[in-house]
mmCIF file of all heavy atoms in Angstrom:
data_model
loop_
_atom_site.group_PDB
_atom_site.id
_atom_site.type_symbol
_atom_site.label_atom_id
_atom_site.label_comp_id
_atom_site.label_asym_id
_atom_site.label_seq_id
_atom_site.Cartn_x
_atom_site.Cartn_y
_atom_site.Cartn_z
ATOM 1 N N MET J 128 -9.266 17.021 -34.071
ATOM 2 C CA MET J 128 -10.108 16.574 -35.165
ATOM 3 C C MET J 128 -11.651 16.990 -35.015
ATOM 4 O O MET J 128 -12.281 17.464 -35.968
ATOM 5 C CB MET J 128 -9.929 15.149 -35.529
ATOM 6 C CG MET J 128 -8.534 14.827 -36.080
ATOM 7 S SD MET J 128 -8.249 13.089 -36.312
ATOM 8 C CE MET J 128 -9.441 12.725 -37.430
ATOM 9 N N VAL J 129 -12.061 16.759 -33.908
ATOM 10 C CA VAL J 129 -13.521 17.059 -33.577
ATOM 11 C C VAL J 129 -13.754 18.507 -33.746
ATOM 12 O O VAL J 129 -14.702 18.993 -34.316
ATOM 13 C CB VAL J 129 -13.961 16.518 -32.105
ATOM 14 C CG1 VAL J 129 -15.317 17.082 -31.775
ATOM 15 C CG2 VAL J 129 -13.973 15.005 -32.149
ATOM 16 N N MET J 130 -12.877 19.340 -33.143
ATOM 17 C CA MET J 130 -12.963 20.867 -33.270
ATOM 18 C C MET J 130 -12.863 21.276 -34.690
ATOM 19 O O MET J 130 -13.515 22.170 -35.130
ATOM 20 C CB MET J 130 -11.870 21.525 -32.379
ATOM 21 C CG MET J 130 -12.156 21.302 -30.918
ATOM 22 S SD MET J 130 -13.787 21.690 -30.284
ATOM 23 C CE MET J 130 -13.768 23.470 -30.489
ATOM 24 N N GLY J 131 -11.994 20.676 -35.461
ATOM 25 C CA GLY J 131 -11.968 20.941 -36.893
ATOM 26 C C GLY J 131 -13.175 20.685 -37.678
ATOM 27 O O GLY J 131 -13.646 21.471 -38.497
ATOM 28 N N PHE J 132 -13.856 19.550 -37.361
ATOM 29 C CA PHE J 132 -15.126 19.252 -37.996
ATOM 30 C C PHE J 132 -16.176 20.189 -37.637
ATOM 31 O O PHE J 132 -16.966 20.652 -38.417
ATOM 32 C CB PHE J 132 -15.512 17.807 -37.646
ATOM 33 C CG PHE J 132 -14.812 16.733 -38.463
ATOM 34 C CD1 PHE J 132 -14.214 15.665 -37.779
ATOM 35 C CD2 PHE J 132 -14.747 16.788 -39.899
ATOM 36 C CE1 PHE J 132 -13.530 14.671 -38.409
ATOM 37 C CE2 PHE J 132 -13.987 15.729 -40.553
ATOM 38 C CZ PHE J 132 -13.450 14.746 -39.796
ATOM 39 N N VAL J 133 -16.222 20.572 -36.346
ATOM 40 C CA VAL J 133 -17.241 21.601 -35.889
ATOM 41 C C VAL J 133 -16.972 22.902 -36.627
ATOM 42 O O VAL J 133 -17.937 23.507 -37.037
ATOM 43 C CB VAL J 133 -17.152 21.706 -34.278
ATOM 44 C CG1 VAL J 133 -17.913 22.908 -33.884
ATOM 45 C CG2 VAL J 133 -17.545 20.433 -33.686
ATOM 46 N N LEU J 134 -15.764 23.379 -36.592
ATOM 47 C CA LEU J 134 -15.471 24.548 -37.343
ATOM 48 C C LEU J 134 -15.818 24.519 -38.775
ATOM 49 O O LEU J 134 -16.340 25.499 -39.364
ATOM 50 C CB LEU J 134 -14.005 24.902 -37.141
ATOM 51 C CG LEU J 134 -13.536 26.294 -37.635
ATOM 52 C CD1 LEU J 134 -14.235 27.356 -36.867
ATOM 53 C CD2 LEU J 134 -12.016 26.409 -37.467
ATOM 54 N N ALA J 135 -15.502 23.405 -39.464
ATOM 55 C CA ALA J 135 -15.814 23.198 -40.859
ATOM 56 C C ALA J 135 -17.375 23.238 -41.079
ATOM 57 O O ALA J 135 -17.843 23.721 -42.090
ATOM 58 C CB ALA J 135 -15.284 21.983 -41.421
ATOM 59 N N ALA J 136 -18.124 22.711 -40.147
ATOM 60 C CA ALA J 136 -19.646 22.713 -40.228
ATOM 61 C C ALA J 136 -20.207 24.077 -39.997
ATOM 62 O O ALA J 136 -21.152 24.554 -40.562
ATOM 63 C CB ALA J 136 -20.120 21.660 -39.282
ATOM 64 N N LEU J 137 -19.688 24.841 -39.037
ATOM 65 C CA LEU J 137 -20.234 26.199 -38.688
ATOM 66 C C LEU J 137 -19.802 27.257 -39.616
ATOM 67 O O LEU J 137 -20.586 28.260 -39.836
ATOM 68 C CB LEU J 137 -19.719 26.595 -37.332
ATOM 69 C CG LEU J 137 -20.357 25.860 -36.162
ATOM 70 C CD1 LEU J 137 -19.797 26.264 -34.817
ATOM 71 C CD2 LEU J 137 -21.885 25.896 -36.211
ATOM 72 N N SER J 138 -18.773 27.205 -40.399
ATOM 73 C CA SER J 138 -18.248 28.304 -41.311
ATOM 74 C C SER J 138 -19.277 28.586 -42.368
ATOM 75 O O SER J 138 -19.727 29.723 -42.554
ATOM 76 C CB SER J 138 -16.950 27.889 -42.020
ATOM 77 O OG SER J 138 -15.946 27.791 -40.992
ATOM 78 N N PRO J 139 -19.932 27.629 -43.102
ATOM 79 C CA PRO J 139 -20.849 27.963 -44.064
ATOM 80 C C PRO J 139 -22.146 28.653 -43.418
ATOM 81 O O PRO J 139 -22.771 29.503 -43.987
ATOM 82 C CB PRO J 139 -21.260 26.671 -44.719
ATOM 83 C CG PRO J 139 -20.169 25.740 -44.440
ATOM 84 C CD PRO J 139 -19.526 26.266 -43.114
ATOM 85 N N LEU J 140 -22.521 28.247 -42.270
ATOM 86 C CA LEU J 140 -23.664 28.838 -41.515
ATOM 87 C C LEU J 140 -23.432 30.220 -41.226
ATOM 88 O O LEU J 140 -24.367 31.162 -41.355
ATOM 89 C CB LEU J 140 -23.942 28.105 -40.277
ATOM 90 C CG LEU J 140 -24.502 26.630 -40.416
ATOM 91 C CD1 LEU J 140 -24.622 25.901 -39.071
ATOM 92 C CD2 LEU J 140 -25.762 26.581 -41.204
ATOM 93 N N VAL J 141 -22.236 30.675 -40.888
ATOM 94 C CA VAL J 141 -21.844 31.992 -40.535
ATOM 95 C C VAL J 141 -22.008 32.857 -41.860
ATOM 96 O O VAL J 141 -22.467 33.951 -41.773
ATOM 97 C CB VAL J 141 -20.506 32.091 -39.860
ATOM 98 C CG1 VAL J 141 -20.053 33.573 -39.743
ATOM 99 C CG2 VAL J 141 -20.499 31.448 -38.496
ATOM 100 N N VAL J 142 -21.450 32.355 -42.893
ATOM 101 C CA VAL J 142 -21.445 33.089 -44.165
ATOM 102 C C VAL J 142 -22.964 33.245 -44.600
ATOM 103 O O VAL J 142 -23.324 34.397 -45.073
ATOM 104 C CB VAL J 142 -20.690 32.219 -45.269
ATOM 105 C CG1 VAL J 142 -20.933 32.930 -46.568
ATOM 106 C CG2 VAL J 142 -19.213 32.346 -44.920
#
Side-chain angles (χ1 to χ4, degrees):
M128 289 177 63
V129 168
M130 293 308 292
F132 285 126
V133 169
L134 187 62
L137 288 180
S138 294
L140 294 176
V141 170
V142 170

